[in-house]
Amino acid sequence: MSISKEVAKIQAELHAYPCNLIVVTKTRSIKELQDVHACGIRDFGENRVQEMVDKQAQLPNDIKWHQIGHLQTNKVKYIAPFIHLIHSVDSFSLLKEINKQAEKHNRVIPCLLQIYIAQEDTKFGLDKQEAIDILQNPELVNLANIQLVGLMGMATFTENTSQIQKEFKQLKALFDLFKSEEIGLDSQRVVWQEISMGMSGDYLLAAQEGSTMVRVGSAIFGPRA
């Protein structure tokens, strides 16, 4: 499949929505990613820290790297110098470590809270109360080198479109609730801007349900080998 044609097709479909395309780079070659870059795409999403670090060193400096996979605290230091956005914050301890490593590089690293919306045990994420507990944690005000900018969620891996739509609506409703009630805003560490939801099989539905970022890989490159 033609990478440039697939990118153009997806961008055309997303044009009607305030939704940014993040190209998922997991297992993809440097050549494939150079082809994506040549299409004008600058937002790349990677699941694995080591793979991101290796690719970041070989690709142009204008790429904005997104950590979209589960992130262990002991791996934060490797991406702290350059990461654009961490989508997968699922604990306050992880947030503290991101802040610690960001401070070493005199950076403020934007983060999303990952919310558990799927009907699958294999997915990571917070429930509503756990997210509120992070947002209202009195220690949050001291984390001057992070900023929470929204929520991320992964829908159930299913062909049941109504279930996926329900899960997207659930995440959007939680985002709207947090934003309208200004939960966490008193800390100066929170600004409600982004909803990261939608992947190769459901990105258009996600955009229609209010996603501001979709994470797309196989719809551009084809199935993984």
Side-chain angles (χ1 to χ4, degrees), residues 66-206:
H66 298 248
Q67 173 68 30
I68 60 175
H70 182 63
L71 180 59
Q72 295 171 298
T73 52
N74 63 347
K75 300 285 181 68
V76 175
K77 61 189 176 211
Y78 300 112
I79 61 174
F82 64 85
I83 193 71
H84 175 71
L85 177 63
I86 295 174
H87 291 231
S88 48
V89 172
D90 58 2
S91 70
F92 196 75
S93 59
L94 177 58
L95 210 52
K96 287 199 291 186
E97 181 64 19
I98 295 166
N99 183 77
K100 175 183 169 184
Q101 299 301 330
E103 187 177 13
K104 292 179 181 178
H105 299 279
N106 195 28
R107 300 190 64 211
V108 174
I109 296 180
C111 301
L112 305 178
L113 294 179
Q114 182 171 354
I115 305 298
Y116 183 83
I117 58 172
Q119 300 299 309
E120 292 176 14
D121 293 337
T122 56
K123 298 278 198 301
F124 292 96
L126 305 156
D127 63 25
K128 177 183 175 181
Q129 188 56 52
E130 288 169 333
I132 290 172
D133 289 346
I134 288 176
L135 292 165
Q136 295 184 337
N137 190 316
E139 285 187 64
L140 188 61
V141 72
N142 300 320
L143 305 187
N145 293 86
I146 60 97
Q147 187 172 48
L148 291 170
V149 297
L151 304 178
M152 183 268 255
M154 297 176 67
T156 303
F157 185 69
T158 176
E159 294 183 5
N160 183 342
T161 306
S162 62
Q163 182 178 344
I164 295 168
Q165 185 176 32
K166 178 183 174 184
E167 291 166 0
F168 287 160
K169 284 182 183 297
Q170 178 187 338
L171 189 64
K172 177 62 162 62
L174 192 61
F175 176 90
D176 290 343
L177 175 70
F178 287 171
K179 186 173 183 177
S180 66
E181 294 195 1
E182 299 189 344
I183 294 175
L185 283 191
D186 57 331
S187 70
Q188 304 300 306
R189 300 274 71 84
V190 183
V191 53
W192 295 107
Q193 296 175 332
E194 306 288 357
I195 307 177
S196 171
M197 62 184 186
M199 298 166 70
S200 285
D202 51 32
Y203 63 83
L204 190 54
L205 179 60

